[in-house]
Structure formats: C-alpha cells, structure tokens
Amino acid sequence: MKSMKNLSLRWSDLDPNFHLRHSSYYDLAAQERIEILNEYGITIDLMKAENVGPVLFKEQCEFKREIHLHSKIHIITKLLKMKQDGSFWVIQHEFLSEDNTLHALIKVEGAWIDTIKRRLARPVPDAIFSGLDKFPKAEDFEFA
C-alpha cells in the first residue's frame, strides 16, 4: 500500500536555473509526511497532548531528473522499515512524472522524541503507534 499525491509547484520553489531547488524537495516531502500522519490520527493536537514529536536522524535525497514549474509531478510515500514498537522508522518519498519517471528519491530515518524530557520516546504512546502502524507500507516493508 502506498500514498500518492499530485504536487502543485510554486514559483518560490524554483532556483535561479528555473527548476525545483533542492530544499523544495525536502519541504514537499516533510509536508506529505505530516499530512499522512494526520490522516492516520497522528495530529498536531495528539502530538502536543502526548508530548511527542517526530525527529529525523538522517534525510537523504538522490536527484535523478530536473523538475520544472509546470511539470506534472506526484509523490509516492511509504514506510520502508519500522521497529516492532514503532520507536524507529524509515520513510521513502518518490517524486515521479506522469509517465512514472523517477525524478528524485528521498529517504528519512527517524523516531519519536519526548518533547518535555528531550529524549527518545520509549515506549511510544499507543495512539502514536496505532497511527504509524496504519502508515502506507512498501511492498518489501520490514520490521527492523
């Protein structure tokens, strides 16, 4: 199962060479992750109530082909890996054109942080785990 969203690119997303600037890829992927978490019940209000938020350890992008302002691009987001308790996860974003040509691939590795203790949240609150467990998974998804 995967999540797919058509992207709407803005003039401010471009660099001086008139293609998508590198940081826009990361911004678009982050927004998509938050929207998916929200869709599965991990809302900002829930994170505040549980004193938990996502934290990234690694964020890496492979740029394959340029994306221009009027490009028709969609992003596919899926969970690649997760610890059994939901305390660590790897999410992948694919930026694809209409013909499914890969333009960029972002992988993020992250966990949940206790926003009061400023340490990793273990155990992960049930409501957070429940939502993450519903996150769209890759066909080759694995528990870490």
Side-chain angles (χ1 to χ4, degrees):
M1 184 167 137
K2 58 188 174 187
S3 172
M4 184 178 96
K5 177 184 180 181
N6 292 322
L7 297 178
S8 178
L9 304 176
R10 305 165 303 171
W11 174 256
S12 62
D13 292 325
L14 304 183
D15 68 12
N17 295 316
F18 304 107
H19 57 74
L20 201 62
R21 65 183 155 77
H22 72 283
S23 58
S24 290
Y25 290 87
Y26 294 104
D27 292 342
L28 291 163
Q31 181 64 32
E32 180 65 3
R33 281 193 305 278
I34 292 301
E35 287 178 12
I36 293 171
L37 290 174
N38 188 70
E39 182 179 335
Y40 293 107
I42 304 177
T43 63
I44 298 295
D45 288 339
L46 174 66
M47 288 188 266
K48 285 180 183 177
E50 295 285 352
N51 299 310
V52 170
V55 61
L56 298 184
F57 300 124
K58 184 176 182 180
E59 186 173 26
Q60 180 177 348
C61 187
E62 292 178 43
F63 301 100
K64 304 289 190 178
R65 289 178 177 72
E66 293 180 341
I67 295 176
H68 298 94
L69 181 61
H70 299 295
S71 299
K72 295 194 183 316
I73 299 293
H74 59 273
I75 185 171
I76 293 178
T77 302
K78 48 196 164 188
L79 189 61
L80 296 181
K81 194 182 293 189
M82 179 176 74
K83 280 196 174 183
Q84 292 277 354
D85 64 0
S87 64
F88 175 82
W89 35 263
V90 178
I91 295 172
Q92 176 177 280
H93 302 278
E94 297 172 325
F95 290 77
L96 302 158
S97 58
E98 288 180 301
D99 64 357
N100 284 327
T101 299
L102 181 64
H103 287 258
L105 182 69
I106 292 180
K107 285 186 184 176
V108 296
E109 297 178 8
W112 300 101
I113 189 169
D114 182 309
T115 58
I116 294 173
K117 295 178 183 174
R118 308 307 299 168
R119 289 192 246 175
L120 294 182
R122 286 198 180 119
V124 174
D126 289 340
I128 300 290
F129 176 79
S130 176
L132 185 62
D133 194 43
K134 294 174 191 167
F135 201 98
K137 294 176 181 63
E139 290 178 18
D140 58 347
F141 169 81
E142 62 181 317
F143 283 108

